[in-house]
Amino acid sequence: MNFNLLMLLTFFLISPIILATTQAIAIRTAIMLKLKLSNLKLLFYCILALNIPFVVISLMVAGEKSFSWATLIYILVTFNLISYSYFILFTMSETARRIKILMGLYSSRIHNINDTAKFYDSDKALDLRLLRMEQLSQIKRNLDGKYILNSLLFYSISILVLFLRSLLGFEANS
Amino acid sequence: MISINTFLYSFSIFILFFIFHVVLWRRIKPKKHIQSMILLFIVLPLLLLLCIFTVTYILQVNLIEPNELFLIIILYLAIASAYIQTYPAMQANSPSLYIVHLIGKSKKGLDYDEINRTIKSMKLTGMEDRINDLMHEGLINISSDGSMRLTPKGSTLAYLFIFFRNTLLGLKEGEG
């Protein structure tokens, strides 16, 4: 394996650490500046912003003699797939019920199955999810106070996810 | 260094194992979802790639260059990782995505009560199925009296998430 390739692969492998560090700095900066941005939106902006330096540095590290579209597309696709995985990981830490149960058990706030109802308020969960989707500009309220779509992004993902669920044979309501 | 073949190999391997995934899941849905996904999308494809490379190397057939193999592996792992990370939302029927889907399908929009009624009737924000998932994955044990305990694996995972959010990112626990 040549040195440039080794450097490029190493750079990709440490990209989640670079992302996490950037996010950590962004969160602390947002708190200091009292910016009212949701954690997910802030991470989304971090990923968008990191694309440019990541591509530039990767192209330099790749060390190719002339510009190659294949290299650029490879870097963009790979970095954004890695970023997507990191985004989902962070979203799980924010919203996933399974992670919440694990953390509740670890910190001894849950001991028994009956504790989960008190620990996780299902009514509040809907409010949080609606608020989160509004903060991510995916939904909004119209003049009648009803929720409508504000973006096709998550809606498209929801169609894909439901399609994959049916393809994999999951029950419609499980 | 990077050619169209890099993309072709990476995506073709993913599509191949995705087909296995669909066939297997429709026949025998595994209880240990995440371990099965890692085996199917990480371990087996890497073994396949190494076998292909080894055989072509021995037969002196110039199918994949050594440098290109590493690029294929990295791109493939990025694709597989993205899919594996998306899988829990599919398996658990993510309430957030379903809410967006409900709202998107409705032409006139939905008010809070309509959304709440639908979500409650489907028990999308319930905990029972998620507790069962954790048990099947070997992350928690549940005694006959309903008491729950973390297994060593569950404890490690919980600690990593707490460290990630609290120490690394300086955030409180997620609200769910």
Side-chain angles (χ1 to χ4, degrees):
Chain A
M1 194 194 307
N2 68 45
F3 178 73
N4 289 102
L5 177 62
L6 181 63
M7 291 298 294
L8 184 65
L9 294 179
T10 307
F11 198 46
F12 277 124
L13 287 172
I14 66 168
S15 62
I17 300 172
I18 296 170
L19 257 170
T21 309
T22 308
Q23 187 191 11
I25 294 169
I27 287 168
R28 286 166 172 89
T29 307
I31 292 170
M32 222 165 45
L33 297 175
K34 295 183 184 166
L35 293 174
K36 286 187 181 173
L37 268 177
S38 75
N39 292 329
L40 291 176
K41 204 160 198 176
L42 189 61
L43 174 57
F44 180 70
Y45 289 145
C46 287
I47 292 169
L48 277 182
L50 272 177
N51 264 272
I52 298 168
F54 195 89
V55 165
V56 168
I57 294 169
S58 297
L59 284 173
M60 285 164 53
V61 163
E64 291 186 334
K65 288 175 187 168
S66 59
F67 176 79
S68 157
W69 280 108
T71 305
L72 176 65
I73 291 167
Y74 179 92
I75 291 166
L76 276 171
V77 168
T78 309
F79 174 68
N80 283 290
L81 282 170
I82 293 170
S83 301
Y84 170 80
S85 296
Y86 180 85
F87 183 87
I88 298 296
L89 182 75
F90 178 73
T91 305
M92 281 168 59
S93 79
E94 281 268 293
T95 70
R97 285 162 285 167
R98 283 172 278 200
I99 303 303
K100 197 152 174 69
I101 293 169
L102 290 176
M103 287 162 116
L105 282 166
Y106 190 89
S107 55
S108 302
R109 282 169 295 155
I110 308 176
H111 302 279
N112 192 285
I113 286 178
N114 298 327
D115 295 338
T116 55
K118 286 178 270 178
F119 182 69
Y120 183 83
D121 187 339
S122 297
D123 288 331
K124 196 181 165 195
L126 174 59
D127 296 345
L128 282 170
R129 280 170 162 73
L130 287 167
L131 176 63
R132 207 172 277 133
M133 288 300 127
E134 279 185 286
Q135 288 170 339
L136 285 169
S137 308
Q138 299 304 306
I139 61 173
K140 64 180 182 186
R141 290 212 214 204
N142 63 13
L143 294 169
D144 297 329
K146 290 192 176 191
Y147 288 98
I148 56 173
L149 271 189
N150 192 36
S151 160
L152 287 176
L153 176 61
F154 274 43
Y155 181 60
S156 307
I157 293 171
S158 75
I159 293 172
L160 177 64
V161 164
L162 285 172
F163 167 71
L164 288 170
R165 268 182 67 82
S166 76
L167 191 63
L168 293 170
F170 284 113
E171 288 170 22
N173 291 344
S174 70
Chain B
M1 186 159 60
I2 294 166
S3 68
I4 192 84
N5 286 338
T6 312
F7 296 95
L8 279 174
Y9 277 117
S10 305
F11 280 96
S12 298
I13 290 166
F14 178 76
I15 289 165
L16 175 68
F17 281 90
F18 182 78
I19 292 168
F20 288 152
H21 170 50
V22 170
V23 168
L24 269 173
W25 256 243
R26 289 183 81 90
R27 290 178 75 87
I28 35 156
K29 205 169 269 76
K31 287 211 163 121
K32 292 184 186 246
H33 292 270
I34 296 303
Q35 288 171 52
S36 307
M37 292 290 283
I38 290 171
L39 179 67
L40 186 60
F41 282 99
I42 305 286
V43 176
L44 292 177
L46 286 181
L47 283 174
L48 174 68
L49 271 170
L50 285 171
C51 285
I52 292 172
F53 181 72
T54 307
V55 166
T56 56
Y57 182 77
I58 291 168
L59 296 176
Q60 309 240 322
V61 173
N62 196 19
L63 197 62
I64 307 175
E65 286 190 20
N67 286 341
E68 193 169 28
L69 178 67
F70 291 104
L71 290 164
I72 291 167
I73 288 173
I74 289 290
L75 178 54
Y76 172 76
L77 287 176
I79 299 166
S81 168
Y83 182 68
I84 291 170
Q85 291 283 43
T86 308
Y87 179 81
M90 274 191 282
Q91 184 259 326
N93 202 4
S94 163
S96 301
L97 282 178
Y98 197 80
I99 288 165
V100 171
H101 185 76
L102 271 179
I103 293 168
K105 263 182 16 178
S106 153
K107 287 174 188 169
K108 294 178 186 175
L110 292 173
D111 63 33
Y112 180 89
D113 289 334
E114 287 170 302
I115 300 169
N116 197 20
R117 262 198 308 274
T118 309
I119 298 300
K120 277 203 159 119
S121 70
M122 292 175 68
K123 297 182 187 174
L124 272 186
T125 51
M127 292 295 241
E128 197 181 305
D129 287 340
R130 305 291 73 80
I131 292 170
N132 286 337
D133 289 338
L134 291 173
M135 208 168 59
H136 290 133
E137 295 285 353
L139 295 169
I140 64 172
N141 285 323
I142 301 177
S143 309
S144 51
D145 62 353
S147 60
M148 300 197 291
R149 274 188 313 180
L150 289 169
T151 62
K153 202 165 71 169
S155 188
T156 306
L157 188 62
Y159 171 75
L160 286 172
F161 269 99
I162 290 169
F163 175 80
F164 173 57
R165 281 192 72 87
N166 296 3
T167 311
L168 191 64
L169 299 178
L171 291 170
K172 292 184 300 185
E173 194 175 296
E175 290 180 278

